[in-house]
Amino acid sequence: MQLSTILPSLSKSAGKANVVFFQNNWDVFTEIDKYLKPEQYFFAFPFMVGGGKEDKSIHCAISGLKYSNTPLGEKDGRITPRVEKLSIILDKANLKPVISNQILVWLITHYAVAAGLSAGIMSAGSASKFIENTAIIKTTMKAIREGLAICERMGINPKTEKANRLYLLPLFISMPIAKKIYSNDALQLMFDGHINHSPAEIRQMIDDIIDSGVKYAVITSNLAQLKSYISSNQTNKSK
């Protein structure tokens, strides 16, 4: 959505600069290649940072959890000098960079996880309410699995990325673990920042996954259920 509007400008003005796409990405990779050459760009993601803008203030939360980091890498998996240079910069900022040799796998599967998780938290109303709602947690975990199933149909194997292991466990194991992880104060601040400041983006992510489910013949009934909860909540608030 935002990327499609800026790519033509980047194509004209990038020159010899290294462009780092530091955001969620789902199916825009072919679109990027229409405007930039592979040697002009690479990817990263601010996984351990979240928040939002309110008036003239920016509220930011940085997760200190062990698995929180900042992945970065080349599309083809090579470890290049420019990736190493950004890694050094991020390390100096204590953002725990991790160079990935499969950054596209990381980004695409993370999009699926983030869409399902954000839908669940938005359905519950807040991160604190989410971890107290066992039914929504269960639906959310199933919705995330639907997204990961779509990734598989796209040729992306979620099992190769360690961050996805939680969501592939049996529900009676994954749900208590997820509840404990998402009880973390910094993560709750990050999640609340997302749903309060980027609701339109979250709805777009949900629609992207549901639309891809149709395209790749994967049923997304759980994600659709969460979407209906969100719509119902918004209708009730407007009354």
Side-chain angles (χ1 to χ4, degrees), residues 52-59 197:
K53 182 181 178 182
E54 189 174 357
D55 294 325
K56 295 182 179 181
S57 300
I58 294 176
H59 302 279
H197 300 285

Side-chain angles (χ1 to χ4, degrees), residues 25-72:
N25 287 291
W26 176 243
D27 57 0
V28 298
F29 304 101
T30 303
E31 187 73 10
I32 291 172
D33 285 335
K34 291 178 184 177
Y35 294 94
L36 297 172
K37 297 176 182 178
E39 61 269 23
Q40 289 181 288
Y41 70 90
F42 63 104
F43 296 97
F45 191 83
F47 183 54
M48 63 186 294
V49 181
K53 182 181 178 182
E54 189 174 357
D55 294 325
K56 295 182 179 181
S57 300
I58 294 176
H59 302 279
C60 185
I62 300 176
S63 170
L65 289 176
K66 182 180 179 180
Y67 68 86
S68 297
N69 53 46
T70 305
L72 68 157

Side-chain angles (χ1 to χ4, degrees), residues 164-236:
N164 299 321
R165 291 177 184 173
L166 169 64
Y167 309 106
L168 302 172
L169 293 170
L171 288 173
F172 74 91
I173 297 175
S174 63
M175 286 176 59
I177 296 174
K179 186 174 182 179
K180 183 176 181 180
I181 290 172
Y182 300 142
S183 297
N184 177 266
D185 290 341
L187 285 185
Q188 292 208 353
L189 285 171
M190 289 166 63
F191 293 146
D192 285 339
H194 294 327
I195 69 170
N196 291 325
H197 300 285
S198 304
E201 180 182 342
I202 292 171
R203 286 192 291 270
Q204 182 62 57
M205 292 173 71
I206 294 168
D207 287 340
D208 285 345
I209 302 297
I210 291 174
D211 291 345
S212 293
V214 174
K215 180 178 179 180
Y216 291 98
V218 175
I219 297 172
T220 55
S221 56
N222 290 283
L223 187 57
Q225 184 177 338
L226 293 174
K227 181 182 177 181
S228 70
Y229 289 162
I230 294 169
S231 299
S232 176
N233 290 345
Q234 289 172 338
T235 301
N236 291 334

Side-chain angles (χ1 to χ4, degrees), residues 129-150:
K129 290 179 181 177
F130 173 73
I131 61 168
E132 298 300 327
N133 195 319
T134 302
I136 286 183
I137 292 176
K138 186 174 184 179
T139 304
T140 300
M141 299 299 277
K142 289 181 176 180
I144 290 171
R145 288 182 179 184
E146 291 168 352
L148 294 178
I150 294 170

Side-chain angles (χ1 to χ4, degrees), residues 2-40:
Q2 297 167 332
L3 194 57
S4 61
T5 61
I6 200 172
L7 280 172
S9 298
L10 280 177
S11 177
K12 295 176 183 177
S13 60
K16 295 182 180 180
N18 289 305
V19 179
V20 183
F21 292 104
F22 204 52
Q23 60 178 29
N24 268 312
N25 287 291
W26 176 243
D27 57 0
V28 298
F29 304 101
T30 303
E31 187 73 10
I32 291 172
D33 285 335
K34 291 178 184 177
Y35 294 94
L36 297 172
K37 297 176 182 178
E39 61 269 23
Q40 289 181 288

